[in-house]
Amino acid sequence: MVKSSPIYPFRKPPEPGVPQQIADGIYWLRMPLPFRLDHINLWLLEESDGWTIVDTGLATEDTTELWLKLSSIVSAKKPVKRLIATHMHPDHIGLAAWLCRHSGAEFWMSRSEYMHCRILLADSNREAPEEAISFYRAAGFSDQQLRYYRAKFGSFGSMVRGMPATYHRLQHGDSFIIGGRRWQLVMGEGHSPEHACLHCPELDLFIAGDQLLPTISSNVSVWPMEPAGNPLQAWIDSCHRLKALLPEKTLVLPSHGLPFTGAQPRLQALIDGHQRDLERIMQNCDEPKRVVDLFPLLFKAPIGNSMLVLATGESYAHLHYLMARGKVAMQTDNTGVNWYQRA
């Protein structure tokens, strides 16, 4: 995890399902998550004739009940006009279809995120493909770990209650008016394919999703669907773009943690943290290493089955970044396992 020292104007988060106003027409909403990371921040944007919701929370009974109580208050006098999804991870879009049906809201999302989500939902009724098994075998998974992966494959659908059948496409550079103010679409990459962030220069606010978090670094992974991808390059490029865009005093509204100012030093800390990880890998790859051999170099805690796929994806991402620069070479042995060594 990469840490820095942002400034937190709001140190007490709202109670689950209870909106807290943080700017004119902007409300902070928290929903619980049944994980070690136990919450997600959502955002309500008020207009004279309706509401815009940003992200939904996970498809759990607790979150559904909180939304039912909240909707009777929020939409009592004016409707929910649109639901914006920053990206396709289940804690962000788990209740998208349900909320749109319940409220009549339009669904807004980037194309890559929407299509990727539909693909993962289709995988919910499939067995793990052999290409995915080969991908994780190449990383150095044991037979027991491969059995665990097979058993958990397709679990995405258990956390997402469907997707809206239609959507309004978000693209980088788009802008639109919410509450009489112009909001600009800023796309990020690396954590997910086409992550939508919302910037309002007039309010000096930036709804960051998972693209910029105050105390932890978002997972950046290579996945079996795109086994040769280089998401860490895309992530670092996105951090540099945001550094050039966001003024120092911009209030960043992240999906996890507290709203904060100090985007530029935080972004630089994220970049520097990955650079240190890359240097650590280089220093320890004089002898051939498998992907799973990098876990002690990149993660402070031991990696159990529950974190195995995320840790593997992030380790792959660092190796692919180094391979793209000709600093690490890979060879595959006769059992299908990849070995990486300083070039």
Side-chain angles (χ1 to χ4, degrees), residues 1-8 30 33 37 39-43 55 86-87 89 91-92 191 195 197 206-220 235 239 242 246 252-271 274 314:
M1 297 295 185
V2 181
K3 296 189 177 181
S4 62
S5 300
I7 298 171
Y8 301 105
R30 270 205 172 178
L33 296 176
L37 184 59
H39 71 274
I40 181 171
N41 299 324
L42 315 176
W43 310 99
D55 289 336
T86 58
H87 63 297
H89 292 154
D91 52 333
H92 296 260
H191 177 62
H195 184 300
C197 304
F206 183 71
I207 298 178
D210 284 350
Q211 198 68 36
L212 177 53
L213 302 176
T215 59
I216 59 174
S217 56
S218 301
N219 179 260
V220 178
W235 172 262
C239 288
L242 290 180
L246 297 177
V252 179
L253 307 182
S255 289
H256 308 286
L258 301 174
F260 69 97
T261 61
Q264 293 193 21
R266 178 58 185 151
L267 287 160
Q268 189 60 53
L270 290 168
I271 295 167
H274 283 297
E314 186 129 350

Side-chain angles (χ1 to χ4, degrees), residues 44-56:
L44 302 178
L45 313 182
E46 187 174 10
E47 305 179 63
S48 61
D49 60 346
W51 295 89
T52 291
I53 298 171
V54 181
D55 289 336
T56 75

Side-chain angles (χ1 to χ4, degrees), residues 223-301:
W223 299 98
M225 188 186 299
E226 189 181 348
N230 187 2
L232 185 54
Q233 180 67 68
W235 172 262
I236 291 173
D237 290 346
S238 293
C239 288
H240 283 296
R241 287 196 297 270
L242 290 180
K243 274 190 68 182
L245 172 72
L246 297 177
E248 183 65 24
K249 294 183 179 180
T250 296
L251 181 62
V252 179
L253 307 182
S255 289
H256 308 286
L258 301 174
F260 69 97
T261 61
Q264 293 193 21
R266 178 58 185 151
L267 287 160
Q268 189 60 53
L270 290 168
I271 295 167
D272 292 344
H274 283 297
Q275 293 297 340
R276 286 193 296 270
D277 289 340
L278 292 163
E279 291 169 7
R280 195 177 300 115
I281 291 171
M282 289 295 296
Q283 292 167 4
N284 287 271
C285 273
D286 288 333
E287 298 296 325
K289 296 282 194 303
R290 302 169 302 170
V291 173
V292 296
D293 296 329
L294 300 186
F295 292 172
L297 303 178
L298 296 176
F299 309 105
K300 294 178 180 178

